[in-house]
Amino acid sequence: MRYSFLLVLLVLITSCHEKAPNVERQYLESNWSLHKAADYSLVSDSVTIPSTVHKELLPLIKHPFKGNHEDSLQWITEENWIYETIFTLDEKTLSKEHITLNFEGIDTYASIELNGHQILETDNAFLSWQQDVKPFLEKENELYVTFESPLEIEAKKAAANPYSLPEGNRVYTRKAQYQYGWDWGPRLNTMGIWKPVYLEAYNDFKIEDLYIKQNFIKDSIANLTAQIKLSEKCTELLKFQIKVNDSLYWEQDYQPKAQEDEFEIHFEIPEAKLWWPHNIGEPYLYDIEVLVSKNDELIDSKTLKTGIRTIELVNEPDDLSTSFYFKVNQVPVYMKGANYIPQNSMQDLVTDQHYEDLLSDVKDANMNMLRIWGGGIYENDIFYEKCDEKGILVWQDFMFACAMYPGDARFRESVTNEITHQITRLRNHSSIALWCGNNETSEAWHNWGWQEGRSQAERDSIWKDYRAVFQIAMPKYVSELSKEPYWESSPQLGRGNPRYEFEGDAHDWHVWHDAYPFEHFEAHVPRFMSEFGFQSHPSYEAIRYINEDETINIKSKDYASHQKHARGNELIREYMERDFPVPTNDEDYVYISQLLQAYGMSKGIQAHRRARPYNMGTLYWQLNDCWPVVSWSSIDHFGNWKALHYQAKRDFENVLISNVVENDTLKTYVVNDKLKTEVGDFELLIKDFHGKVLHREFEDSSTASIDAGTSELVNTIDLNSININVNEVYVVTKYGKNELMSFLEKPKNLVLQPVTMNMTTESVENGFKITLESNAFAKDVFLYTDTKGHFIDNFFNLEHNTKKTIIFETDSETVPVFKYKTLNGLMEN
């Protein structure tokens, strides 16, 4: 039973003793060793936790990210492995009333032995495991964690099932599904203690969980409830206190009427500052601390950062069809972003700095939402903390993807524990916008032929198991444990269903998988695009890393093993032939492939944004890579921005100018995602590639007013009415401080002039300043260097006799050798 009471705001004269709580935590990070179980041979005696077997083997094997080594390393998953450590405890710790051993994550099938006692068996990598170990502890302790290969276990489970389940035996194991291989990732099915391990020792009790539940906001007053769960049931008089930003105090004495461990404290924050996505406001976070005392002695406290905001998914019939959009603090917000996958196939190699760098790149590209794809992992706490701080919303898939899953009792129990654990773990994060049941499972069942050849009874049984998890259990627990909305499956309807444009969210893979032209994006805009994408080659750095001879050779055997899509290279070339010149040189081909990706994806992003409010979100596939690879990412494995990421930064600006040609008419739209009306002067110029103005719209300039949260058509030009050759001109469109350079023809048809670029370089505080000037219009200027660093802008257009300054951020003090490419240099005019 949960008791609830209202705390009264007090001015405190005295308080309980401000000393450290009695809970002691001892991390077991170092002094581990790893052995191969078959012969107990030592792999490493210097293992630190978190750890995966593959990472520990790196000094002894050929690196799976280099060359063509992935296939030769599959034996690792077939073996069993043993982690072991010895740790000591002092008398003070041993004397505590309660001592628990905590594993935040074990991947996956493990038997845990402490001082000769088997204390735990695990079977779900997405669960935390806690065990009372006080009866087994001594001053010196031996801890063994023995991992069993998932392959044999999965095979036995599959054999016991009366029918086969799509897509293979991976469905029987609750671990990261991408480890089994994907069309952008290797098959590196690893094992290990992939999250921290620690002992907790305490007297009386500790705060097991704290949830700051937001009830409502009225007249700038936030009405909140602190839901507190203690580790033990209590009967003694307790004192609860709440601090907000270390300045406001609430307190209340409470005498439990029986043995209770769950309590609710209702409190208010006056003049509450709201949390907003960073592109439309400040993502303000409060520091909230809850303290619990007994007999005037502080027993435990828990502090968290959380924002005050409301979020709502609006999915209801409207004049157009059925809406799908998010409201934040009662305001419709257009979602701009990408799909996120794990940053490494060996998660223990991902550092805090990796999270900071990648999420800074997300914010810098004007994204306000990431979708955490369901075939990866529930991310580490730091990921959500950074999203909270940076004002990035998170669409959180549960970890189910592209498969039908079993329905036996143990699997259901494990999944239920996983659902409740992850909701409870993440629900205080203001960045969480949506809980989504799975990735493409419903679409696949209905559209991918998975029902063919099965009896009606078999189909009914498989779908019943689906319903039990995604239509019954998940919405139930999301509703009970959090305030955020739930969505059953992404997408709601597959592209095989003609209603996909008009209902729910969409994964539109007509472009790429079905080889439709990029113009399909402009003709078929859904209500919310949660997946669409196109491949490109990664950076020169990544290609050199893949190839053992360190060359930029995209035809090598080494490199071929890093293209996981069966038709990937074929499709890149097919699309390139449609819209761009096709180079014969590999270095140039890589450059054009990135221009191609950015060109096609920009058509989609801009079409989506022009359609606001019909369309209210565009999340492309995909943000990042888990290894060096040819993929759909906009940032490669080494953190290098591809042309797409630079273009997305432009396309995701709050105020967007977008030009599109329809039936020989040039239409200009201005999209305003701000919360206030935008007013600016509008001007449109059509120039030849030497900079001569051939046509001007609004010669005296005209002021245009664009309401908040709208897309407005501000100008049209009948191209047949003006005397121009569309392949010899470009368009400069200006609105307020925003400017766009666009074209009226496909890139391959443009009559670009040869260019000579003047480049100067000087040292600045965080790198080098590069100043460029061209003797003619330069299209898609690509700067590159062998020095590690980041160009703040790249793949840009440069007008005739116009200077442009770029900062190259680097830690290097040596002046880099900067080189450039332009589309002009690859045209055969």
Side-chain angles (χ1 to χ4, degrees):
M1 182 175 180
R2 175 178 292 156
Y3 278 80
S4 113
F5 44 90
L6 178 64
L7 290 185
V8 182
L9 180 63
L10 300 172
V11 178
L12 294 182
I13 300 174
T14 61
S15 66
C16 67
H17 301 301
E18 291 289 339
K19 67 177 185 180
N22 86 100
V23 180
E24 296 179 0
R25 180 175 288 191
Q26 179 175 330
Y27 282 90
L28 306 181
E29 296 174 318
S30 57
N31 197 38
W32 287 81
S33 60
L34 175 64
H35 298 262
K36 184 178 175 183
D39 56 6
Y40 201 65
S41 56
L42 180 67
V43 174
S44 173
D45 60 2
S46 58
V47 173
T48 58
I49 305 298
S51 167
T52 60
V53 171
H54 278 76
K55 189 260 284 185
E56 304 306 336
L57 285 168
L58 287 179
L60 307 175
I61 61 176
K62 293 182 177 180
H63 201 296
F65 290 1
K66 295 176 76 71
N68 186 25
H69 302 151
E70 174 193 351
D71 290 345
S72 67
L73 300 176
Q74 296 308 306
W75 63 270
I76 299 171
T77 312
E78 299 168 0
E79 296 286 343
N80 300 334
W81 303 90
I82 301 172
Y83 284 83
E84 63 179 67
T85 189
I86 296 175
F87 63 92
T88 59
L89 298 174
D90 57 28
E91 290 291 350
K92 180 183 177 183
T93 301
L94 287 168
S95 67
K96 294 283 188 178
E97 293 177 30
H98 309 281
I99 308 177
T100 61
L101 179 61
N102 302 265
F103 291 86
E104 290 192 2
I106 296 181
D107 187 3
T108 295
Y109 298 106
S111 176
I112 300 167
E113 184 180 300
L114 176 62
N115 294 334
H117 302 275
Q118 183 171 321
I119 60 170
L120 186 64
E121 289 191 350
T122 69
D123 61 357
N124 189 325
F126 302 131
L127 283 177
S128 290
W129 303 87
Q130 182 182 97
Q131 185 67 36
D132 177 15
V133 293
K134 183 173 174 61
F136 312 119
L137 289 171
E138 303 168 2
K139 286 187 177 180
E140 185 171 279
N141 303 273
E142 294 183 346
L143 179 62
Y144 291 83
V145 183
T146 301
F147 285 89
E148 187 174 351
S149 167
L151 303 181
E152 185 175 348
I153 294 173
E154 292 162 358
K156 290 178 180 178
K157 291 181 177 182
N161 198 331
Y163 41 77
S164 63
L165 289 172
E167 287 269 288
N169 289 356
R170 68 176 170 88
V171 302
Y172 294 99
T173 298
R174 293 308 301 140
K175 66 179 296 177
Q177 302 285 270
Y178 81 106
Q179 292 182 2
Y180 293 80
W182 224 267
D183 57 4
W184 39 257
R187 183 180 176 89
L188 292 180
N189 193 349
T190 193
M191 292 167 265
I193 307 171
W194 73 294
K195 289 194 172 186
V197 183
Y198 55 88
L199 288 160
E200 276 194 332
Y202 56 93
N203 293 322
D204 295 308
F205 57 81
K206 68 184 181 74
I207 299 175
E208 192 77 46
D209 182 63
L210 170 63
Y211 174 38
I212 304 299
K213 180 180 179 182
Q214 183 176 301
N215 301 315
F216 58 86
I217 304 168
K218 184 177 181 181
D219 299 328
S220 299
I221 299 173
N223 183 282
L224 309 171
T225 298
Q227 294 183 353
I228 304 163
K229 185 179 187 333
L230 304 182
S231 61
E232 318 295 330
K233 295 183 183 297
C234 297
T235 58
E236 300 95 331
L237 179 69
L238 300 177
K239 175 179 285 187
F240 291 88
Q241 291 182 304
I242 295 182
K243 296 181 181 180
V244 179
N245 289 349
D246 204 29
S247 60
L248 298 177
Y249 283 71
W250 287 261
E251 77 169 6
Q252 178 74 50
D253 290 338
Y254 181 72
Q255 176 64 60
K257 296 179 177 63
Q259 288 193 345
E260 302 299 334
D261 59 2
E262 295 186 8
F263 305 88
E264 287 189 343
I265 302 172
H266 305 288
F267 66 105
E268 295 178 338
I269 297 178
E271 299 180 4
K273 295 182 67 174
L274 300 182
W275 185 97
W276 291 93
H278 73 91
N279 68 308
I280 54 173
E282 178 187 3
Y284 184 83
L285 296 172
Y286 283 93
D287 291 307
I288 298 180
E289 182 180 16
V290 170
L291 306 95
V292 186
S293 305
K294 187 179 74 172
N295 298 328
D296 212 26
E297 180 181 355
L298 179 62
I299 302 299
D300 198 11
S301 67
K302 188 175 284 289
T303 302
L304 56 83
K305 284 182 175 289
T306 192
I308 295 173
R309 59 100 181 97
T310 62
I311 192 150
E312 177 186 0
L313 174 61
V314 182
N315 179 229
E316 58 191 19
D318 59 18
D319 294 339
L320 302 171
S321 51
T322 304
S323 68
F324 188 105
Y325 68 93
F326 292 89
K327 280 186 176 181
V328 180
N329 301 325
Q330 304 303 311
V331 176
V333 177
Y334 193 96
M335 298 303 169
K336 301 173 284 193
N339 286 261
Y340 170 95
I341 65 171
Q343 294 184 51
N344 200 301
S345 291
M346 294 166 277
Q347 176 62 24
D348 50 328
L349 291 176
V350 182
T351 66
D352 289 357
Q353 192 61 50
H354 286 122
Y355 286 108
E356 171 61 30
D357 291 346
L358 186 60
L359 292 173
S360 291
D361 289 344
V362 168
K363 183 177 179 181
D364 288 347
N366 300 308
M367 299 182 185
N368 61 7
M369 176 174 270
L370 291 177
R371 174 175 173 246
I372 310 304
W373 171 73
I377 62 174
Y378 304 96
E379 265 298 346
N380 290 345
D381 291 342
I382 188 173
F383 176 91
Y384 303 97
E385 292 165 1
K386 294 289 184 183
C387 287
D388 292 346
E389 295 169 6
K390 296 178 184 294
I392 302 166
L393 289 162
V394 173
W395 169 316
Q396 179 67 58
D397 279 5
F398 288 100
M399 292 301 116
F400 299 84
C402 303
M404 303 304 290
Y405 291 86
D408 59 274
R410 176 57 196 143
F411 189 86
R412 291 261 188 93
E413 178 187 13
S414 182
V415 166
T416 297
N417 291 338
E418 174 187 328
I419 295 167
T420 57
H421 168 64
Q422 294 297 342
I423 295 172
T424 301
R425 180 174 79 92
L426 300 177
R427 61 186 174 178
N428 282 307
H429 290 287
S430 305
S431 53
I432 296 290
L434 181 71
W435 301 97
C436 180
N438 62 73
N439 174 77
E440 297 184 346
T441 296
S442 178
E443 174 193 4
W445 179 248
H446 291 100
N447 298 326
W448 293 5
W450 287 358
Q451 300 185 53
E452 295 175 6
R454 300 180 187 271
S455 67
Q456 187 61 50
E458 188 174 317
R459 293 198 297 270
D460 290 346
S461 178
I462 294 172
W463 188 246
K464 179 181 177 182
D465 291 339
Y466 173 94
R467 290 192 66 251
V469 173
F470 302 109
Q471 295 182 354
I472 298 173
M474 283 184 178
K476 173 181 183 292
Y477 291 116
V478 168
S479 176
E480 290 177 357
L481 298 175
S482 81
K483 295 281 287 184
E484 283 66 51
Y486 173 76
W487 188 246
E488 177 190 327
S489 183
S490 181
Q492 178 179 355
L493 302 169
R495 67 185 187 277
N497 189 320
R499 300 190 343 259
Y500 86 94
E501 290 182 50
F502 312 108
E503 299 177 27
D505 69 312
H507 295 191
D508 191 344
W509 286 102
H510 285 103
V511 171
W512 184 260
H513 287 302
D514 298 335
Y516 282 29
F518 289 133
E519 289 72 21
H520 167 83
F521 288 141
E522 297 173 325
H524 300 274
V525 175
R527 302 307 301 262
F528 191 107
M529 186 76 91
S530 50
E531 268 194 34
F532 67 114
F534 193 86
Q535 276 196 357
S536 72
H537 291 276
S539 64
Y540 297 151
E541 177 189 10
I543 298 171
R544 289 192 181 101
Y545 181 89
I546 292 168
N547 287 320
E548 302 236 61
D549 61 5
E550 299 184 351
T551 60
I552 302 175
N553 180 0
I554 62 174
K555 304 175 186 69
S556 70
K557 183 178 180 181
D558 289 345
Y559 194 69
S561 67
H562 291 248
Q563 166 59 280
K564 292 297 184 179
H565 190 277
R567 295 170 53 230
N569 293 336
E570 172 190 336
L571 285 168
I572 291 173
R573 186 174 187 89
E574 180 178 337
Y575 277 86
M576 193 180 294
E577 289 173 347
R578 294 176 189 174
D579 293 329
F580 279 83
V582 181
T584 56
N585 173 280
D586 282 1
E587 191 175 284
D588 293 337
Y589 194 93
V590 169
Y591 161 62
I592 294 294
S593 82
Q594 292 198 17
L595 294 184
L596 175 69
Q597 180 191 35
Y599 172 79
M601 295 301 291
S602 181
K603 281 185 178 293
I605 292 170
Q606 292 199 30
H608 303 155
R609 293 196 64 192
R610 288 195 300 267
R612 178 176 183 159
Y614 176 82
N615 173 281
M616 283 297 288
T618 179
L619 309 178
Y620 63 78
W621 184 270
Q622 65 204 70
L623 175 68
N624 59 307
D625 290 323
C626 67
W627 74 320
V629 64
V630 187
S631 83
W632 296 263
S633 70
S634 62
I635 301 176
D636 74 15
H637 181 65
F638 295 104
N640 299 300
W641 288 26
K642 298 183 184 179
L644 172 56
H645 208 76
Y646 288 101
Q647 186 60 43
K649 179 178 181 177
R650 301 175 191 119
D651 289 344
F652 287 155
E653 288 277 4
N654 269 348
V655 177
L656 171 73
I657 304 170
S658 180
N659 286 333
V660 61
V661 176
E662 296 177 353
N663 300 319
D664 294 329
T665 299
L666 174 61
K667 298 181 178 181
T668 300
Y669 292 79
V670 176
V671 184
N672 178 18
D673 285 345
K674 294 182 178 180
L675 300 184
K676 61 181 181 180
T677 299
E678 189 77 4
V679 178
D681 291 338
F682 174 82
E683 185 178 33
L684 185 147
L685 307 172
I686 299 178
K687 300 181 179 182
D688 67 21
F689 290 126
H690 293 288
K692 181 181 178 181
V693 176
L694 304 179
H695 180 81
R696 186 190 304 268
E697 289 284 307
F698 298 101
E699 185 171 347
D700 297 327
S701 76
S702 175
T703 299
S705 176
I706 312 299
D707 290 340
T710 63
S711 170
E712 300 287 346
L713 177 63
V714 297
N715 191 62
T716 60
I717 301 175
D718 179 359
L719 295 177
N720 294 320
S721 68
I722 56 178
N723 185 25
I724 59 170
N725 293 321
V726 292
N727 59 348
E728 296 178 352
V729 300
Y730 65 102
V731 182
V732 178
T733 312
K734 300 177 182 180
Y735 174 73
K737 296 179 180 179
N738 300 81
E739 182 175 316
L740 170 72
M741 280 183 267
S742 60
F743 304 87
L744 305 176
E745 257 289 358
K746 292 182 176 183
K748 74 175 185 180
N749 296 330
L750 297 176
V751 185
L752 297 171
Q753 305 303 310
V755 296
T756 301
M757 198 86 68
N758 182 44
M759 180 188 302
T760 61
T761 304
E762 64 177 285
S763 178
V764 293
E765 183 177 354
N766 295 317
F768 297 89
K769 182 170 72 173
I770 307 160
T771 302
L772 298 169
E773 188 173 9
S774 176
N775 68 333
F777 184 90
K779 180 160 172 52
D780 299 320
V781 180
F782 168 46
L783 297 172
Y784 62 104
T785 178
D786 291 339
T787 301
K788 188 64 178 176
H790 173 65
F791 295 97
I792 63 167
D793 194 12
N794 215 339
F795 300 95
F796 51 83
N797 299 315
L798 183 60
E799 291 193 274
H800 171 248
N801 289 340
T802 301
K803 290 186 177 181
K804 184 176 180 68
T805 298
I806 301 294
I807 300 297
F808 177 69
E809 299 172 333
T810 181
D811 294 331
S812 175
E813 296 181 357
T814 303
V815 179
V817 176
F818 293 111
K819 301 177 183 179
Y820 69 87
K821 292 183 183 293
T822 64
L823 186 62
N824 305 55
L826 300 179
M827 302 295 283
E828 297 180 0
N829 293 326

